C-alpha cells in the first residue's frame, strides 16, 4: 500500500521531536554531543528525503510548497548540526544559518496565521529556538546555553511530537480555539526553562563544555 504523501510532514515533525530532545539533553551535558550529532545527521538526512518525496507528490499548491520549505529547513538544520560537531566546524556558520532560519520562521508564522493558527504558533516557537541558537553560536552569547538546553527539552514534545501524533491520527486542530492554549502553554515552558537554567538544575552540566566552539573541540 502506497504511503499517503500528506502524512510525510507529520513524520518529519515526529522525527524533529526526537532530535530536539536529544540535542537539548546534549546541550545540558546529559548526553555526549557526538552521539547527538550522529542522531541529528541521520534525522536530518531522512527529513530531506521526505521533503523531496513530498515536494514531488504535492504539486505546486502554495501551501504545499510552504510545508515543503519547513521540512527542508528542519532537515538542513539537523544535517548542519551533525556535521558541525563531527567535523569541528566551530559553529559560527551554523549560528548565522540559524539566524536566517529564525527569520524565515517568523515569516512562516505570519503566513500560516490565517489558514492554520496552530501551525503558526508552532512556527513562532521554533523561530524562537532558532533565534536563540543564533545568539549563542553566531554572537557568542554562550551564557544562554543552559536556557537553550532546557527550552529544547521542554518544548520538543509539546511543539513537535504531540502535534505530529495528532496529524498522523487525522486529528490536527486547525482552529484558533486550539492555538491560543497552545501558545500559552509553550510560553510557560520557556518561562520554566529560564527558571531551571537560572537554578542550574542540569545534572550533567558540571564540567561540561558549552555547546559553542569550545564544545566542538572537546567533542572531537
Amino acid at each position: 500500500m502506497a504511503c499517503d504523501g500528506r502524512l510525510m510532514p507529520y513524520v518529519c515533525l515526529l522525527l524533529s521531536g526526537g532530535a530536539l530532545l536529544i540535542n537539548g539533553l546534549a546541550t545540558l551535558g546529559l548526553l555526549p554531543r557526538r552521539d547527538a550529532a550522529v542522531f541529528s545527521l541521520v534525522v536530518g538526512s531522512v527529513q530531506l528525503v521526505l521533503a523531496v518525496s513530498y515536494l514531488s507528490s504535492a504539486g505546486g499548491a502554495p501551501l504545499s510548497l510552504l510545508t515543503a520549505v519547513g521540512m527542508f529547513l528542519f532537515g538542513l538544520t539537523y544535517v548542519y548540526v551533525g556535521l558541525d560537531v563531527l567535523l569541528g566546524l566551530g559553529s559560527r556558520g551554523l549560528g548565522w544559518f540559524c539566524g536566517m532560519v529564525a527569520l524565515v520562521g517568523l515569516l512562516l508564522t505570519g503566513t500560516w496565521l490565517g489558514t492554520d493558527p496552530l501551525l503558526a504558533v508552532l512556527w513562532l516557537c521554533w523561530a524562537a529556538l532558532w533565534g536563540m541558537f543564533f545568539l549563542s553560536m553566531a554572537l557568542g552569547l554562550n551564557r544562554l546555553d543552559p536556557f537553550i538546553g532546557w527550552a529544547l527539552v521542554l518544548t520538543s514534545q509539546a511543539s513537535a511530537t504531540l502535534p505530529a501524533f495528532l496529524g498522523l491520527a487525522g486529528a490536527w486542530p486547525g482552529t484558533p480555539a486550539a492555538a491560543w492554549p497552545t501558545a500559552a502553554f509553550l510560553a510557560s515552558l520557556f518561562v520554566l526553562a529560564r527558571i531551571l537554567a537560572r537554578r542550574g538544575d542540569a545534572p550533567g552540566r558540571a564540567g561540561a563544555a558549552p555547546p559553542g566552539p569550545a564544545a566542538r573541540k572537546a567533542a572531537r
Side-chain angles (χ1 to χ4, degrees), residues 4-32:
D4 189 344
R6 293 173 296 180
L7 299 180
M8 291 182 184
Y10 301 123
V11 175
C12 181
L13 189 56
L14 183 64
L15 294 173
S16 289
L20 291 171
L21 175 62
I22 295 301
N23 278 283
L25 293 173
T27 302
L28 293 172
L30 299 174
L31 288 176

Side-chain angles (χ1 to χ4, degrees), residues 169-199:
W172 183 271
T175 64
W180 285 110
T182 302
F185 181 63
L186 290 173
S188 69
L189 292 180
F190 277 101
V191 172
L192 178 58
R194 183 57 178 167
I195 294 173
L196 292 173
R198 290 177 67 89
R199 289 176 56 189

Side-chain angles (χ1 to χ4, degrees), residues 66-199:
L66 289 175
T67 300
V69 166
M71 296 169 70
F72 277 113
L73 289 177
F74 272 107
L76 287 172
T77 299
Y78 294 133
V79 168
Y80 201 163
V81 167
L83 293 176
D84 181 72
V85 174
L86 296 175
L87 300 180
L89 301 181
S91 75
R92 288 291 297 278
L94 174 60
W96 282 101
F97 175 74
C98 288
M100 184 275 291
V101 178
L103 177 59
V104 175
L106 291 177
L107 296 176
L108 288 172
T109 298
T111 302
W112 286 110
L113 192 59
T115 56
D116 193 336
L118 176 60
L119 185 56
V121 169
L122 297 180
W123 267 110
L124 182 59
C125 173
W126 301 329
L129 293 174
W130 266 304
M132 289 191 294
F133 275 116
F134 166 72
L135 294 175
S136 174
M137 295 181 177
L139 302 186
L141 299 180
N142 292 336
R143 64 181 181 274
L144 294 176
D145 293 342
F147 174 42
I148 294 173
W150 279 116
L152 289 173
V153 170
L154 294 176
T155 64
S156 60
Q157 307 309 295
S159 71
T161 303
L162 180 57
F165 270 109
L166 292 175
L168 290 171
W172 183 271
T175 64
W180 285 110
T182 302
F185 181 63
L186 290 173
S188 69
L189 292 180
F190 277 101
V191 172
L192 178 58
R194 183 57 178 167
I195 294 173
L196 292 173
R198 290 177 67 89
R199 289 176 56 189

